[in-house]
Amino acid sequence: MKRCLAVTGAAVLLLAGCGAQEEPQAAAGPVTIDYWLWDTAQQPQYQACADAFHKANPNYTVKITQYGWDDYWNTLTTAFVSGTAPDVFVGHLSRYPELAAQGQIQPLDENVTKDKVDLSIYQDGLADLWVAKDGKRYGLPKDFDTVAVIYNTDKLKEAGVKPEEMAELSWNPQDGGTYEKMIARLTVDKNGKRGDEPGFDKKSVATYGLGLAGSGAGFGQTEWSQYAMSNGWQYGDQNPWPSKFNYADPKFKETIKWFTSLIDKGYMPTMDIASSGVGQIDAYGAGKYAMVTEGSWNTKTYWNLKGVKSALAPTPIGPTGKRASLFNGLADNISASTDGPDAAWAWVKFLGSPACQEEIVAKEAIVFPAIKTATVKAEQAFKDAGIDVKPFTMHVEEGTTHLAPIAEHWADITATMTETMDAIFSFKADINSLDQANATVNGYFG
């Protein structure tokens, strides 16, 4: 891959909205900035940002490389080891703490101060998430996401359910509440019997009421987090930087026990089906799932499915009397090994600016940009595309968001919890196996 070439002098991007800027200086020569991301749906919008960046900085060219989620992190790890890491790459809240601790990414504090970058333009709390335990900042927020329910409107109509019924569903770990009743109603076996009707055959299901992407490991962002948190559970003793996790908490256990009971009842697919190689989006598109819980970043992908009409509904109200959603966000990290830190910073600053987020990303209606004014534009763009995204944004407006866990040892935590949760979801392990898993996780913290 092409590495970012060394430069002498700084070609500073002239950019409105990011604070005072220095006068541009001539770069020594053409510079290629190697940039990696994992989301194929977002690649076009960031290519558009790269084109705008190049137009403002003719000596800087951004080369974008896209990998799938799993391949992305494996390839990135290998690249760091071999010394071929990209100059800039999309970071994740669960991944950057370890990279920062290992000295693999550069802090941005001096550049932020020097260029007077205004951190108040971002959604409240997002900028703080990219300050590591060492007190240094490693990213400028580029977007945020929440979780909602996406459902097939035709299947809802076939079940005799009115759309407004989807707006006030509630759940509890004892009987699942009106939410489980809805899931049962939307489930249909191959003989046409619904999950709430006598004679329903759970071993021969044509359409599951609720889809399943997997066990969620220790994160469960779109699988179970919204239920656990609306049941009063939190990942750890504090966030960010917990020193103790709560996977053995009774509230978490009862949440997961209820959630996996949907599999046993035939209302939700088994782990074998979920891991068969057919992803949740494709299964939904094929009519195998009547509804799914999904992150806002995938919304447009569902709306682009041929032959399927979809709508959004909020996550259910839990025992706390409130809904819940993880509040996650991405940023771009600069590799410590980059040969062109000035060029890399200019690109990262542009990615975090109104020129990229408000003028380009927001108009594509793919994600919610991190800048507040850009978020408003994105909502309008979604509306123009016929998508009411209030079930996503209401979490921010109503204060029902919960920060995604930011912790040290996340790779180890993920390995432990993947094994445990996969076993529980496959009914190969009891819910109390979470006790040992939690002890193992907490052991990573001494």
Side-chain angles (χ1 to χ4, degrees):
M1 68 190 72
K2 293 183 180 179
R3 297 297 308 283
C4 183
L5 304 177
V7 296
T8 58
V12 181
L13 174 69
L14 294 175
L15 176 64
C18 272
Q21 305 290 337
E22 300 176 7
E23 289 299 319
Q25 302 173 22
V31 179
T32 297
I33 304 166
D34 207 6
Y35 179 57
W36 289 11
L37 52 76
W38 66 74
D39 192 342
T40 183
Q42 295 187 57
Q43 185 172 354
Q45 65 189 30
Y46 287 112
Q47 184 60 59
C49 286
D51 294 342
F53 175 72
H54 175 69
K55 184 176 181 179
N57 298 265
N59 282 333
Y60 290 167
T61 299
V62 179
K63 176 190 174 186
I64 298 180
T65 302
Q66 183 267 327
Y67 295 96
W69 171 262
D70 291 331
D71 290 338
Y72 182 85
W73 295 105
N74 292 334
T75 306
L76 187 62
T77 298
T78 301
F80 276 124
V81 172
S82 64
T84 58
D87 302 294
V88 181
F89 60 94
V90 179
H92 194 277
L93 288 173
S94 67
R95 305 278 181 154
Y96 95 88
E98 187 172 2
L99 294 174
Q102 294 171 347
Q104 301 281 22
I105 54 178
Q106 288 187 5
L108 308 180
D109 303 83
E110 290 184 8
N111 286 320
V112 168
T113 300
K114 174 175 63 71
D115 289 352
K116 297 182 175 61
V117 175
D118 184 4
L119 299 175
S120 69
I121 64 175
Y122 303 112
Q123 291 286 350
D124 295 344
L126 282 184
D128 295 338
L129 299 179
W130 292 93
V131 177
K133 202 171 184 181
D134 62 8
K136 298 177 181 178
R137 178 177 305 283
Y138 289 90
L140 298 178
K142 65 189 302 169
D143 60 27
F144 74 87
D145 55 69
T146 56
V147 175
V149 175
I150 298 177
Y151 64 88
N152 184 312
T153 58
D154 288 335
K155 291 190 178 297
L156 200 75
K157 185 176 181 180
E158 291 168 5
V161 177
K162 297 179 180 179
E164 50 265 32
E165 294 181 56
M166 297 290 294
E168 296 298 330
L169 297 174
S170 63
W171 86 278
N172 65 72
Q174 285 73 47
D175 63 14
T178 57
Y179 184 61
E180 181 172 330
K181 289 181 179 179
M182 181 64 70
I183 295 171
R185 181 63 186 167
L186 293 174
T187 302
V188 186
D189 70 16
K190 293 181 180 179
N191 294 316
K193 291 288 185 179
R194 296 190 174 275
D196 59 356
E197 295 178 336
F200 169 71
D201 185 358
K202 69 177 185 179
K203 294 183 179 180
S204 182
V205 178
T207 300
Y208 292 95
L210 182 64
L212 180 67
S215 73
F219 194 27
Q221 182 176 12
T222 60
E223 293 85 8
W224 44 258
S225 66
Q226 63 273 21
Y227 312 123
M229 294 183 298
S230 66
N231 194 28
W233 178 80
Q234 295 296 329
Y235 287 88
D237 56 350
Q238 62 182 24
N239 191 28
W241 319 118
S243 60
K244 183 179 71 172
F245 276 77
N246 299 323
Y247 294 119
D249 188 303
K251 289 185 179 297
F252 185 69
K253 285 184 176 181
E254 66 180 8
T255 298
I256 299 303
K257 187 174 182 180
W258 164 75
F259 190 53
T260 53
S261 76
L262 299 178
I263 299 174
D264 184 57
K265 295 172 183 176
Y267 303 159
M268 192 164 68
T270 64
M271 275 292 288
D272 285 342
I273 294 174
S275 59
S276 66
V278 179
Q280 179 169 270
I281 296 175
D282 290 335
Y284 174 87
K288 301 297 183 182
Y289 304 157
M291 65 180 186
V292 296
T293 52
E294 260 291 6
S296 52
W297 64 91
N298 271 333
T299 305
K300 201 72 170 287
T301 303
Y302 280 86
W303 259 253
N304 287 338
L305 292 170
K306 295 182 178 180
V308 181
K309 294 182 179 180
S310 299
L312 284 162
T315 55
I317 298 168
T320 61
K322 297 181 179 180
R323 311 180 195 280
S325 171
L326 277 182
F327 189 52
N328 195 28
L330 304 179
D332 296 291
N333 298 143
I334 298 177
S335 298
S337 60
T338 179
D339 293 326
D342 291 338
W345 164 245
W347 173 231
V348 166
K349 183 170 63 172
F350 184 80
L351 287 165
S353 74
C356 176
Q357 294 192 21
E358 190 167 339
E359 298 305 319
I360 297 174
V361 174
K363 296 176 181 178
E364 294 299 318
I366 301 293
V367 295
F368 298 119
I371 295 175
K372 296 174 184 177
T373 53
T375 300
V376 175
K377 285 193 174 183
E379 289 178 302
Q380 184 60 50
F382 275 111
K383 184 177 180 180
D384 292 343
I387 307 172
D388 179 3
V389 293
K390 186 173 179 58
F392 286 121
T393 59
M394 67 189 301
H395 289 294
V396 176
E397 297 166 0
E398 298 178 1
T400 55
T401 59
H402 299 253
L403 294 180
I406 305 172
E408 298 173 291
H409 312 293
W410 190 253
D412 294 326
I413 293 170
T414 297
T416 296
M417 293 306 298
T418 296
E419 181 180 0
T420 301
M421 294 296 277
D422 281 359
I424 291 173
F425 274 62
S426 300
F427 300 99
K428 296 176 181 177
D430 183 82
I431 196 72
N432 290 320
S433 62
L434 286 168
D435 294 337
Q436 180 56 55
N438 198 66
T440 299
V441 166
N442 288 338
Y444 299 136
F445 297 88

